[in-house]
């Protein structure tokens, strides 16, 4: 038992343990993410801007630091350190890798380091599933879905939709890589209801729910008429649609200040218009009923990704591993704990 001013034991939780904890707990994780949004909306979090490390010799790559603190039932501080190297996909590995460090709110000492690409993908997918549900609550529930981009995030989103009650009569798949699109189709089980589309337009026009999960650095979808059927659009990759599409939509974000940066689609719209009047609200405001989404416009959800969600999921994983007695503790990780070297 650690004392009131003694650091907690420091543990390392690898990806395999993270996956074992999260596998099969889709609904529980979605509820956890919703609770984190509520805690954030109530002001019981600290979620400063993300910090981007960029490289002049590798302009497509970046590493992002997401520091955060969350109160409520979670009670943790910490930081996610996540890299995005899009060229990884050409060699068959995911573009993103990450670690999450959790800090004790009593002492400030780190008490865990977790593999976090799984945590990051999980909280992203849980957020998308939550948004799809809440944004379609007062309109016809989508019966068809399109995946624009077929990487790891799309896989996690598809998994979370499938395991939180969503059933689709048809699924459209589009990726710039035909091989990746076919692999994604096969992962979904194939069949006549799952169709690979050579262009994004037909996939979008045929779908009530659209999931953007690409690595696009700038908008490539410019025609608002593609969305004339008023779908719910999960703009997970943030930069796919143009200002014209944004301005023709009802725009919901996870956090206004966070999302209006780094040349996201909504940030470009702010730059083009000189204001934020095109924003309709946050997902928290939709959850609480303070904002209602219309039925006669496309609904565009743009989640920049909040570090407090990573903390909530990461602390959940840590606590379950600890309760099972399976923490891999690093003895003497903090070894010099006396100000005067008295042992």
């Amino acid at each position: 038992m650690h004392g009131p001013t003694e650091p907690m034991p420091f543990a390392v939780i690898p990806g395999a343990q993270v996956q074992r904890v999260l596998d099969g707990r889709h609904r529980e994780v979605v509820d956890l993410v919703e609770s984190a949004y509520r805690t954030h909306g109530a002001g019981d979090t600290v979620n400063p801007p993300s910090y981007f490390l960029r490289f002049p010799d590798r302009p497509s790559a970046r590493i992002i630091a997401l520091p955060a603190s969350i109160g409520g039932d979670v009670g943790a501080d910490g930081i996610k350190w996540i890299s995005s190297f899009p060229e990884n996909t050409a060699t068959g590995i995911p573009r993103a890798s990450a670690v999450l460090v959790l800090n004790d709110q009593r002492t400030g000492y780190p008490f865990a380091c977790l593999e976090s690409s799984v945590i990051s993908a999980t909280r992203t997918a849980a957020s998308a599933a939550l948004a799809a549900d809440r944004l379609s609550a007062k309109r016809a529930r989508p019966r068809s879905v399109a995946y624009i981009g077929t990487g790891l995030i799309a896989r996690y989103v598809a998994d979370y939709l499938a395991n939180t009650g969503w059933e689709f009569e048809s699924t459209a798949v589009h990726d710039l890589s035909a091989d990746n699109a076919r692999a994604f189709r096969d992962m979904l089980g194939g069949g006549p209801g799952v169709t690979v589309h050579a262009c994004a337009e037909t996939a979008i026009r045929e779908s009530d729910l659209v999931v953007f999960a690409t690595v696009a650095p700038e908008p490539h979808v410019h025609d608002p008429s593609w969305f004339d059927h008023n779908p719910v659009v999960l703009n997970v990759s943030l930069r796919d649609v143009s200002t014209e599409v944004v301005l023709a939509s009802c725009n919901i974000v996870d956090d206004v200040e966070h999302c209006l940066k780094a040349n996201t689609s909504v940030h470009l719209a702010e730059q083009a218009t000189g204001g934020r009047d095109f924003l309709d609200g946050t997902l928290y405001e939709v959850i609480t009923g303070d904002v209602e989404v219309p039925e006669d416009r496309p609904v565009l959800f743009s989640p920049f990704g909040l570090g407090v969600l990573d903390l909530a999921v990461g602390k959940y994983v840590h606590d379950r591993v600890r309760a099972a007695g399976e923490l891999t503790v690093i003895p003497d990780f903090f070894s010099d704990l006396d100000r005067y070297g008295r042992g």
Side-chain angles (χ1 to χ4, degrees):
M1 180 71 69
H2 60 278
T5 59
E6 185 179 340
M8 295 173 63
F10 184 80
V12 173
I13 302 178
Q17 277 189 310
V18 173
Q19 287 182 298
R20 283 198 296 271
V21 169
L22 296 176
D23 280 352
R25 293 192 170 96
H26 301 81
R27 174 50 59 189
E28 195 170 347
V29 174
V30 170
D31 291 344
L32 184 70
V33 165
E34 179 176 349
S35 178
Y37 274 126
R38 289 181 180 276
T39 301
H40 182 65
D44 196 11
T45 64
V46 181
N47 207 111
S50 302
Y51 297 90
F52 288 72
L53 176 61
R54 299 186 182 276
F55 313 97
D57 61 328
R58 291 160 285 161
S60 67
R62 63 185 185 269
I63 307 179
I64 312 170
L66 285 79
S69 174
I70 183 170
D73 295 334
V74 180
D77 308 330
I79 188 167
K80 180 173 71 171
W81 182 240
I82 182 166
S83 68
S84 176
F85 280 54
E87 280 72 20
N88 284 352
T89 59
T91 64
I93 63 173
R95 66 175 177 84
S97 59
V99 294
L100 176 69
V101 175
L102 298 177
N103 293 73
D104 184 356
Q105 291 193 322
R106 298 173 308 110
T107 66
Y109 273 77
F111 62 87
C113 178
L114 300 88
E115 195 285 330
S116 198
S117 66
V118 172
I119 289 172
S120 187
T122 296
R123 63 86 154 147
T124 299
S127 168
L130 174 66
D133 184 63
R134 294 311 181 95
L135 295 175
S136 60
K138 295 188 177 181
R139 52 165 60 198
R141 191 170 175 86
R143 302 299 300 171
S144 54
V145 62
Y147 293 96
I148 312 300
T150 58
L152 181 141
I153 295 299
R155 171 163 66 88
Y156 271 75
V157 172
D159 179 56
Y160 262 76
L161 290 174
N163 285 283
T164 54
W166 287 85
E167 295 181 356
F168 299 105
E169 295 170 357
S170 65
T171 299
V173 176
H174 170 73
D175 195 286
L176 293 179
S177 165
D179 289 342
N180 290 347
R182 286 191 292 268
F184 192 81
R185 176 200 61 195
D186 295 343
M187 182 204 71
L188 294 176
V194 183
T195 306
V196 172
H197 289 250
C199 66
E201 178 180 359
T202 57
I204 292 168
R205 286 187 182 275
E206 294 181 8
S207 302
D208 305 321
L209 178 66
V210 179
V211 180
F212 282 106
T214 75
V215 294
E218 59 188 23
H220 57 96
V221 175
H222 299 275
D223 189 346
S225 73
W226 293 11
F227 304 88
D228 279 349
H229 55 301
N230 302 324
V232 172
V233 182
L234 304 179
N235 186 28
V236 176
S237 42
L238 291 171
R239 296 171 178 84
D240 296 87
V241 301
S242 69
T243 293
E244 292 78 13
V245 174
V246 171
L247 297 182
S249 303
C250 167
N251 288 282
I252 305 297
V253 298
D254 56 354
D255 182 280
V256 173
E257 296 300 329
H258 282 77
C259 208
L260 292 175
K261 62 165 61 73
N263 288 331
T264 62
S265 292
V266 289
H267 186 208
L268 294 177
E270 180 191 34
Q271 295 173 49
T273 63
R276 300 177 173 183
D277 291 344
F278 61 89
L279 292 180
D280 294 88
T282 65
L283 182 59
Y284 169 73
E285 292 172 319
V286 174
I287 290 171
T288 58
D290 294 326
V291 168
E292 291 192 8
V293 298
E295 298 183 43
D296 59 352
R297 279 193 295 160
V299 179
L300 184 70
F301 175 55
S302 300
F304 195 80
L306 300 178
V308 294
L309 302 185
D310 297 282
L311 291 186
V313 177
K315 182 67 161 36
Y316 171 86
V317 170
H318 170 272
D319 290 351
R320 282 192 166 271
V321 174
R322 182 180 62 182
E326 297 174 352
L327 276 180
T328 301
V329 174
I330 310 300
D332 299 323
F333 187 84
F334 299 106
S335 61
D336 192 354
L337 296 174
D338 186 90
R339 293 180 67 187
Y340 305 107
R342 292 172 295 197

